[in-house]
Amino acid sequence: MKHLIRTILLVAAICLAGKIIAAEPIVLHSPNGKLQMTFSLSEKGEPTYILQYKGKTVIRPSHLGLELKNAHNLQQDFVIKKTTASSFDETWQPVWGETRNIRNHYNEMFVELYQQSQERGLNIRFRLYDDGLGFRYEFPLSKNLNYFVIKEEHSQFAMSGDNTAWWIPGDYDTQEYNYTESKLSEIRQKLPTAYDNNASQTLAGPTCVQTSLQMKTPDGIYINLHEAALVDYSCMHLNLDDKNMIFESFLTPDARGDKGYLQAPCKSPWRTIIVSDDARDMLSSNLILNLNDPCKLKDTSWIHPVKYAGVWWEMINGMSQWSYTWDLPSVKLDSIDYTKVKTHGKHGANNANVRKYIDFAAENGLDQVLVEGWNIGWEDWFGQEKDYVFDFTTPYPDFDIKALNEYAHSKGVKLLMHHETSGSVRNYERHMEAAYNLMNKYGYDAVKSGYVGNILPRGEHHYGQWMVNHYLYAVQEAAKHHIMVNAHEAVRPTGLCRTYPNLIGNEAARGTEYEAGASNHVNHTTILPFTRLQGGPMDYTPGIFEMDMSKMNPNNHAHVNSTLARQLALYVTMYSPLQMAADLVENYRKHMDAFQFIKDVAVDWDDSRYLEAEPGQYITVARKAKNSANWFVGCTTGENGHTSHLKLNFLDKGKKYIATIYADAKNANYRTNPQAYVISKKTVNSNTVLKLKAVPGGGYAISIKPAN
Ligand code: NOJ
Ligand code: CA
């Protein structure tokens, strides 16, 4: 409060003075006073901000503004018309989440700027939290600012030095990359080898990286750059001026190369900077959710977390197929009678196989079964940039949609729908209503959608404004049908799940699927919570028990870079209300003692405690299951392994609990002996300290339940 009053007085002084060109700096403090943001105008009238943490500069003077197409830029020549300071503090309850309550507490400065030569306004709203800063542009309607086209947004983030960064290449179409850890000064040199091939990719530039970007300064301050509430705007990448260590926003272009068509009044997404000297605070931050609008759905009673199995991994590793036949060199959906076509006999989504997964789900308390390849059109779904690729409503002859759903429902299980669009988005929108109606008819309430390949309309990118609008449209339309959405290959999440909690999952990063081919770096899951997960949960699809793909497909020599114990830990470290048990039923049946953890682990939480964290090295998390006294702990490690001395002081004092520990065996090794695990039981209480060792590429998982 003291800080806020100081700020208000300063602002009042500036306003009294009327229009000021090189105004006195305006200072905003976070509620706890550790962060300080200073706003000023340069001599040229450029909006400029600085961010300091505990007295140290983390963002040097950085300019803000936008370059417009065929119009005067919104970058300089501004005066301050008015500033308004305010403060906000509320606690809200997410429909699902890492904690039951989320505190949204910030001090705000709303700066109204006026561009004298153009006679129009531009406003910037700053919100300073204890864990970071958010700012956004607001474009008020005036006769000189109504319709406008963005050539580029020039929001700068000037770093204080040559930070270490965990980054993936800037790309307009995919985020399915391994992370590179390097100094900022090394990005240019390392970028050409930091990527591998994807079905659709368009590199953004030689020093361009994606958000969320995690960094660490040489003196140990963690900084994360991302965006919040990406709506009707194109997704932001970060372009590095590596001589001066200045990042600048770099928006995804549309098919014409333009970067956004806007109509005032309107707003940009928030640009976010999370800051702390404790890595664990990066993971517990709710800044991005807080910057999003509250839930817009009136009734959320139909939204629920989902644990699911699937007819999936067997297609990913090549053991079976999405398609039905080899006999069709091309498919025109309307003219093929699949009942007259000879099947290759490898179609995964067949009645018997789906029943097997339903039985396993029912036996083990899993909620749903995903079935991919159930609908006609998979013979040439990919690589043709084909328009009318799927109809999302017609099953293959060996998938009895009615009978299978009835069978599942009779056992308390639901099927989980799959809509692969193959990037043909016009076609998806054409069929969306019928596709969602079909789901309603047969009792599906969740869909996994996908956007593999180049986007149609041709020339659009996965992360451009047009697609950003499509993804949200799909979620909003789904909500009308009480359908939850898990979109793969869509734009990276920016906290919109607060506003639309039926968006229960996204991929938007390199998931487990790569482990069946090119593999993921051993430290991948020690980085994702710092980066990709900042914007929302990921459908990472953990739970692989058989690491050697040749056991299922002799032609596949890939190997999952993980121990089995680490696969269990991921259910806790990779927060998501949607969790898959991704492996084959046959592989689980060989290790039902370990599968017990997947059966038990919760997917919705009252509380989460980040106990240990260092990007690229290890993450240890404890979470308390929602409406339950049970806790679950997970630890995942990179190349160096990790030993924890785990204090269980989060447990209720004076209570006895039984801990079941699923740990790497002494001789476990993620390459040569990944299935070596040890399960032990211990009586524990809030004074217990557990010494636990995770091998390189390993981890441990613990379930802790009250004794008796
Ligand atoms: C890519 C998705 O990430 C994967 O999960 C899915 O199986 C394939 N596309 C096919 O839709
Ligand atoms: Ca994917």
Side-chain angles (χ1 to χ4, degrees):
M1 200 56 198
K2 191 177 70 198
H3 296 297
L4 185 67
I5 290 169
R6 204 190 312 153
T7 310
I8 292 170
L9 290 176
L10 186 58
V11 172
I14 292 169
C15 291
L16 276 178
K19 284 181 186 173
I20 297 170
I21 292 183
E24 290 238 353
I26 299 163
V27 180
L28 182 65
H29 289 97
S30 60
N32 67 7
K34 288 184 186 162
L35 276 163
Q36 175 179 312
M37 194 282 298
T38 309
F39 178 82
S40 62
L41 291 177
S42 72
E43 280 179 7
K44 291 188 200 155
E46 295 156 297
T48 307
Y49 75 103
I50 298 171
L51 186 63
Q52 288 164 301
Y53 175 72
K54 294 186 180 170
K56 284 185 186 160
T57 299
V58 285
I59 305 283
R60 290 182 292 118
S62 298
H63 295 319
L64 300 175
L66 296 105
E67 193 179 345
L68 304 187
K69 185 179 174 187
N70 301 329
H72 198 278
N73 296 332
L74 283 163
Q75 286 181 278
Q76 42 185 241
D77 185 25
F78 286 105
V79 294
I80 295 175
K81 209 170 90 186
K82 190 177 170 200
T83 60
T84 311
S86 61
S87 187
F88 187 81
D89 190 1
E90 71 161 18
T91 297
W92 58 281
Q93 285 74 39
V95 174
W96 42 261
E98 294 185 80
T99 54
R100 177 177 284 271
N101 296 304
I102 295 180
R103 187 171 180 195
N104 185 8
H105 186 197
Y106 58 81
N107 289 333
E108 177 175 292
M109 179 62 56
F110 183 54
V111 182
E112 291 173 64
L113 301 168
Y114 188 71
Q115 198 174 30
Q116 288 172 310
S117 61
Q118 305 305 308
E119 298 183 351
R120 61 186 178 180
L122 171 69
N123 303 331
I124 308 176
R125 196 179 291 275
F126 293 94
R127 285 188 183 164
L128 197 52
Y129 292 80
D130 289 343
D131 51 350
L133 174 69
F135 64 84
R136 80 178 338 168
Y137 302 97
E138 298 189 5
F139 307 94
L141 175 64
S142 71
K143 76 176 185 331
N144 294 332
L145 191 70
N146 36 46
Y147 296 93
F148 59 103
V149 180
I150 299 175
K151 196 162 168 204
E152 192 57 87
E153 178 187 318
H154 293 285
S155 300
Q156 293 186 335
F157 307 85
M159 297 295 114
S160 57
D162 194 6
N163 299 339
T164 300
W166 290 267
W167 55 273
I168 53 176
D171 191 311
Y172 304 144
D173 287 292
T174 185
Q175 292 132 112
E176 295 182 359
Y177 290 120
N178 273 306
Y179 283 85
T180 301
E181 175 183 330
S182 81
K183 295 278 180 205
L184 297 179
S185 57
E186 295 167 335
I187 290 178
R188 182 185 295 278
Q189 170 217 334
K190 298 207 164 180
L191 197 136
T193 50
Y195 70 98
D196 49 17
N197 294 334
N198 188 278
S200 175
Q201 61 190 154
T202 313
L203 283 182
T207 54
C208 202
V209 297
Q210 302 201 27
T211 74
S212 134
L213 175 68
Q214 181 61 50
M215 287 176 282
K216 186 178 183 180
T217 66
D219 51 356
I221 298 175
Y222 299 85
I223 304 173
N224 183 285
L225 303 179
H226 192 33
E227 62 180 314
L230 172 58
V231 176
D232 198 14
Y233 203 87
S234 100
C235 167
M236 176 181 78
H237 308 266
L238 294 168
N239 199 21
L240 180 68
D241 163 356
D242 52 358
K243 282 209 184 70
N244 301 301
M245 297 301 159
I246 300 175
F247 279 111
E248 199 169 278
S249 51
F250 196 76
L251 302 180
T252 306
D254 67 11
R256 292 173 173 173
D258 299 328
K259 298 210 163 179
Y261 277 70
L262 271 66
Q263 181 184 357
C266 54
K267 297 166 183 168
S268 76
W270 295 92
R271 278 56 186 102
T272 61
I273 309 168
I274 305 174
V275 186
S276 178
D277 52 13
D278 186 334
R280 296 173 301 177
D281 296 342
M282 296 282 117
L283 303 178
S284 58
S285 171
N286 284 312
L287 182 130
I288 288 171
L289 284 179
N290 278 330
L291 286 168
N292 276 271
D293 286 341
C295 181
K296 287 200 169 144
L297 307 179
K298 281 204 181 79
D299 172 18
T300 57
S301 59
W302 50 276
I303 299 171
H304 56 88
V306 177
K307 212 188 276 180
Y308 71 105
V311 179
W312 178 71
W313 188 237
E314 59 189 85
M315 279 90 91
I316 293 287
N317 68 33
M319 183 182 152
S320 68
Q321 299 294 320
W322 285 274
S323 68
Y324 183 75
T325 174
W326 301 138
D327 291 355
L328 298 172
S330 100
V331 172
K332 288 204 169 163
L333 288 187
D334 291 344
S335 60
I336 290 171
D337 179 355
Y338 275 93
T339 59
K340 304 223 164 74
V341 175
K342 187 172 143 267
T343 174
H344 50 39
K346 286 180 166 289
H347 182 223
N350 66 72
N351 293 325
N353 200 28
V354 174
R355 278 203 163 84
K356 183 175 78 187
Y357 276 81
I358 293 171
D359 291 345
F360 183 76
E363 271 169 48
N364 292 290
L366 305 178
D367 307 298
Q368 304 207 351
V369 173
L370 166 74
V371 186
E372 296 199 3
W374 67 276
N375 57 322
I376 58 171
W378 285 87
E379 285 68 30
D380 66 347
W381 72 284
F382 166 67
Q384 326 299 330
E385 302 196 15
K386 186 177 168 184
D387 182 342
Y388 196 163
V389 52
F390 292 114
D391 69 7
F392 309 95
T393 48
T394 312
Y396 280 122
D398 57 350
F399 180 87
D400 187 336
I401 188 166
K402 183 168 182 288
L404 287 170
N405 277 287
E406 283 170 0
Y407 183 69
H409 298 165
S410 75
K411 298 195 148 207
V413 172
K414 278 190 196 311
L415 294 189
L416 203 158
M417 179 47 84
H418 184 230
H419 291 164
E420 173 56 64
T421 67
S422 188
S424 183
V425 180
R426 164 77 181 93
N427 183 53
Y428 189 33
E429 291 190 352
R430 187 189 277 148
H431 291 98
M432 191 177 279
E433 181 63 15
Y436 287 160
N437 280 335
L438 184 90
M439 289 179 64
N440 288 153
K441 177 172 173 196
Y442 291 112
Y444 293 83
D445 70 358
V447 60
K448 168 180 171 181
S449 55
Y451 298 86
V452 170
N454 291 338
I455 297 296
L456 271 76
R458 298 184 183 87
E460 290 296 338
H461 293 291
H462 282 75
Y463 310 146
Q465 184 184 15
W466 195 89
M467 282 303 292
V468 164
N469 289 346
H470 163 79
Y471 303 127
L472 185 55
Y473 172 73
V475 170
Q476 289 168 330
E477 290 302 302
K480 292 179 192 162
H481 290 262
H482 288 192
I483 287 169
M484 302 180 282
V485 176
N486 163 32
H488 278 222
E489 294 89 28
V491 71
R492 45 191 165 271
T494 56
L496 282 172
C497 56
R498 177 181 179 189
T499 316
Y500 302 98
N502 65 317
L503 178 57
I504 52 166
N506 267 115
E507 186 188 41
R510 193 177 173 102
T512 300
E513 62 181 8
Y514 278 83
E515 301 270 20
S519 89
N520 293 341
H521 288 169
V522 174
N523 66 7
H524 195 52
T525 51
T526 66
I527 300 171
L528 286 171
F530 284 95
T531 54
R532 161 64 185 77
L533 268 61
Q534 290 292 2
M538 176 172 179
D539 184 29
Y540 188 71
T541 70
I544 302 303
F545 281 14
E546 177 52 70
M547 312 299 162
D548 177 357
M549 293 306 110
S550 69
K551 295 255 172 71
M552 289 158 280
N553 170 6
N555 301 320
N556 184 343
H557 301 290
H559 197 279
V560 176
N561 278 336
S562 168
T563 64
L564 192 152
R566 189 249 278 268
Q567 289 294 312
L568 301 180
L570 296 177
Y571 290 89
V572 188
T573 60
M574 297 284 290
Y575 166 66
S576 177
L578 177 80
Q579 289 283 16
M580 184 173 199
D583 210 338
L584 308 186
V585 164
E586 292 80 349
N587 293 334
Y588 286 141
R589 293 235 185 261
K590 289 182 198 149
H591 301 277
M592 287 309 285
D593 56 349
F595 191 80
Q596 186 64 40
F597 183 82
I598 300 181
K599 225 170 137 170
D600 291 345
V601 69
V603 273
D604 199 12
W605 310 97
D606 268 344
D607 199 3
S608 291
R609 308 281 175 92
Y610 287 91
L611 306 176
E612 308 177 293
E614 182 61 22
Q617 299 294 329
Y618 52 84
I619 290 176
T620 311
V621 194
R623 302 189 197 270
K624 183 172 169 291
K626 200 159 219 170
N627 300 323
S628 152
N630 298 347
W631 285 80
F632 295 87
V633 179
C635 169
T636 174
T637 70
E639 287 283 2
N640 300 320
H642 182 64
T643 302
S644 306
H645 297 270
L646 214 63
K647 290 188 188 143
L648 303 187
N649 53 12
F650 46 83
L651 298 177
D652 283 355
K653 302 234 162 350
K655 246 195 191 168
K656 255 201 228 162
Y657 295 81
I658 306 293
T660 309
I661 305 168
Y662 304 75
D664 290 329
K666 279 207 177 81
N667 61 346
N669 180 293
Y670 75 86
R671 286 217 66 83
T672 55
N673 198 14
Q675 289 173 324
Y677 59 89
V678 178
I679 302 175
S680 60
K681 277 195 195 294
K682 268 202 172 94
T683 305
V684 298
N685 60 39
S686 62
N687 296 319
T688 305
V689 179
L690 292 176
K691 186 176 172 199
L692 295 162
K693 193 166 177 243
V695 303
Y700 57 80
I702 315 177
S703 78
I704 306 176
K705 299 182 181 176
N708 59 64

